[in-house]
Amino acid sequence: MINTKNALASALLAASLTFANHSAAQLDIPITYLHQEVDTGPVLSNVLPEPDDAGLQGAALGIKDSNTTGRFLKHHYALNSFSKADASALVDIAQQRYSAGDRFFVVNVPTKTLQALQTALGPEALIFNAGSADDALRQSACASNTLHTLPSRAMLTDALAQWLKAKRLDEVLVITGPNAEDKAYTASFERAAKRFGLKIVAEKDWTFDSDLRRTAQKELPLFTQTDDYDVVFVADERGDFGEYVLYNTWLPRPVVGTQGLTPVAWHRVVEQWGAAQLQSRFDKLAKRWMTPKDYAAWAAVRSVAEAVTRTNSASFSQVKSYIRSDKFQLAGFKGRKLDYRDWNGQLRQPIPLVHPRSLVSQSPQEGFLHPKNELDTLGFDRPEVNCTAQ
């Protein structure tokens, strides 16, 4: 039997909420996107360069997605984007936007510029790092005003090491390029190898500057000749030589790392868990594939929008507190809800393992357990961090 009094009360409550929503003032949420233009020099292989607008288009899609749902709640998001080669110019712009009222910043910049922004903006701003994978930013140099939507190198190499262990590819030949980023990538893998019980049988430094398009078949077999190994790990973030290691090793072995089977934040081959719709929306907007930095910038914008939606507030303190709370969950199209680690501000997320035309696997791998959250088997867990993001 229907209780007419309760039904009438429910109807009146629903009507009052609807009226309140329609009569409420619009919430305006500005978000600043900062990109530093970095000249990395010529690349010695035929690798496709990263798009000039990598990151920016992801942020733009995040704004569009947020406004699609936000218009029903009278929430409006606006993107103020800036790109400069000079770090000090970006810091000046950030301070100007802060003075104009912006409190949320999505940044695609190198580590040193990010640290300058952290100091310049202070505690009453929230910076989303969508451009630097530097481990130190999550392990020893955390900042209370910064969250990281781009995975760290430690997360990427842990994801790869788990897969290698699961496949019993335990003995590894490591090849490291000459750049500081390559050495950092190898250092992360060495940590992961120790963590998951892999053996590095030999380490070789790539010091050549020859044109491998002509000499790969002669040089690489001799270069990779050493004790037996199950797999070759390559650290070549720029793509100078790594593409030519595949199929040219002394022993016929799989190649992993920055080339071959690669751990990434995002890739066009990720299509499960609703990701195909995200890929389609991005392609329609940007006319290209979504990159890891695009995904990181998109996730940053969507984090702000999710918090604004849940709190129904544009208050900086309320939005920041909600994002950092255990109530926050981001639908990230990776098979599970994502949230931020309270000890270093890193966005927890599964890591796809891909080659250019296929998704091979996704870490964490089955069987790699954690007392609280198996996603914390990727990257720096609480006991490994010497700083706090709070």
Side-chain angles (χ1 to χ4, degrees):
M1 186 175 189
I2 299 175
N3 188 321
T4 55
K5 289 185 178 180
N6 288 344
L8 179 59
S10 297
L12 290 173
L13 177 60
S16 64
L17 289 174
T18 301
F19 176 78
N21 183 55
H22 284 291
S23 62
Q26 176 174 289
L27 297 181
D28 292 310
I29 304 94
I31 298 175
T32 294
Y33 175 85
L34 302 173
H35 168 239
Q36 185 173 354
E37 303 160 8
V38 179
D39 183 8
T40 59
V43 178
L44 300 179
S45 76
N46 287 322
V47 66
L48 294 175
E50 184 176 69
D52 292 336
D53 59 356
L56 173 60
Q57 294 292 354
L61 181 63
I63 293 290
K64 186 175 181 180
D65 287 352
S66 300
N67 281 328
T68 297
T69 54
R71 70 175 183 266
F72 297 106
L73 303 170
K74 291 192 174 182
H75 298 171
H76 180 260
Y77 302 86
L79 187 68
N80 302 305
S81 62
F82 304 90
S83 180
K84 298 288 183 182
D86 182 57
S88 60
L90 280 179
V91 173
D92 289 343
I93 289 171
Q95 290 175 315
Q96 292 167 14
R97 293 311 310 169
Y98 181 89
S99 297
D102 290 13
R103 292 296 180 268
F104 303 107
F105 295 81
V106 180
V107 303
N108 176 11
V109 299
T111 298
K112 288 185 178 180
T113 306
L114 174 58
Q115 291 174 326
L117 288 167
Q118 290 169 342
T119 301
L121 292 173
E124 294 303 311
L126 187 58
I127 301 169
F128 292 88
N129 168 30
S132 176
D134 191 346
D135 285 342
L137 294 171
R138 288 87 163 169
Q139 202 269 336
S140 60
C142 313
S144 61
N145 62 354
T146 302
L147 299 174
H148 308 277
T149 51
L150 190 73
S152 63
R153 289 188 181 94
M155 290 177 68
L156 300 178
T157 54
D158 280 351
L160 181 59
Q162 284 189 12
W163 183 85
L164 292 174
K165 191 65 180 178
K167 293 294 184 181
R168 299 183 180 179
L169 300 173
D170 296 325
E171 298 189 337
V172 188
L173 166 63
V174 172
I175 303 175
T176 306
N179 300 306
E181 295 81 4
D182 302 332
K183 298 181 189 306
Y185 199 88
T186 291
S188 286
F189 180 74
E190 289 172 341
R191 169 190 165 277
K194 183 177 180 179
R195 191 180 195 189
F196 296 109
L198 304 178
K199 180 183 179 182
I200 296 176
V201 299
E203 296 191 53
K204 292 177 177 283
D205 294 326
W206 183 263
T207 59
F208 309 99
D209 59 2
S210 56
D211 187 348
L212 289 178
R213 290 173 294 183
R214 299 177 177 84
T215 63
Q217 284 185 301
K218 292 182 179 180
E219 292 190 19
L220 281 166
L222 295 176
F223 180 73
T224 55
Q225 188 174 6
T226 186
D227 294 338
D228 194 11
Y229 46 88
D230 299 319
V231 65
V232 179
F233 171 85
V234 175
D236 174 26
E237 290 198 358
R238 273 170 32 97
D240 277 332
F241 67 91
E243 304 293 337
Y244 299 102
V245 177
L246 284 79
Y247 310 110
N248 281 315
T249 54
W250 180 259
L251 299 174
R253 300 291 186 263
V255 175
V256 301
T258 53
Q259 283 76 30
L261 181 68
T262 305
V264 293
W266 193 256
H267 195 278
R268 69 184 181 95
V269 298
V270 178
E271 295 183 331
Q272 301 179 56
W273 312 293
Q277 287 81 5
L278 178 64
Q279 302 277 23
S280 177
R281 294 200 307 275
F282 184 85
D283 180 69
K284 185 177 180 180
L285 174 72
K287 311 302 180 188
R288 61 171 177 79
W289 302 331
M290 193 178 216
T291 70
K293 288 183 178 179
D294 288 314
Y295 180 82
W298 174 87
V301 172
R302 292 295 299 137
S303 292
V304 174
E306 176 67 17
V308 171
T309 299
R310 297 298 178 182
T311 61
N312 195 31
S313 171
S315 162
F316 170 75
S317 60
Q318 287 187 339
V319 171
K320 179 182 178 181
S321 295
Y322 187 84
I323 292 175
R324 288 189 173 281
S325 75
D326 56 9
K327 297 178 182 179
F328 177 83
Q329 291 186 323
L330 177 66
F333 301 99
K334 286 190 170 186
R336 59 184 298 166
K337 300 289 186 180
L338 313 182
D339 60 359
Y340 291 91
R341 293 173 180 152
D342 60 12
W343 56 88
N344 64 0
Q346 175 65 58
L347 182 68
R348 291 183 177 96
Q349 54 189 293
I351 300 296
L353 300 170
V354 307
H355 65 73
R357 294 185 180 274
S358 176
L359 173 66
V360 175
S361 185
Q362 180 164 272
S363 289
Q365 298 292 311
E366 185 177 354
F368 289 85
L369 305 178
H370 187 275
K372 294 184 178 179
N373 189 330
E374 64 270 22
L375 287 176
D376 289 336
T377 63
L378 305 177
F380 297 109
D381 202 358
R382 187 187 298 273
E384 302 174 284
V385 171
N386 298 322
C387 56
T388 177
Q390 292 295 344

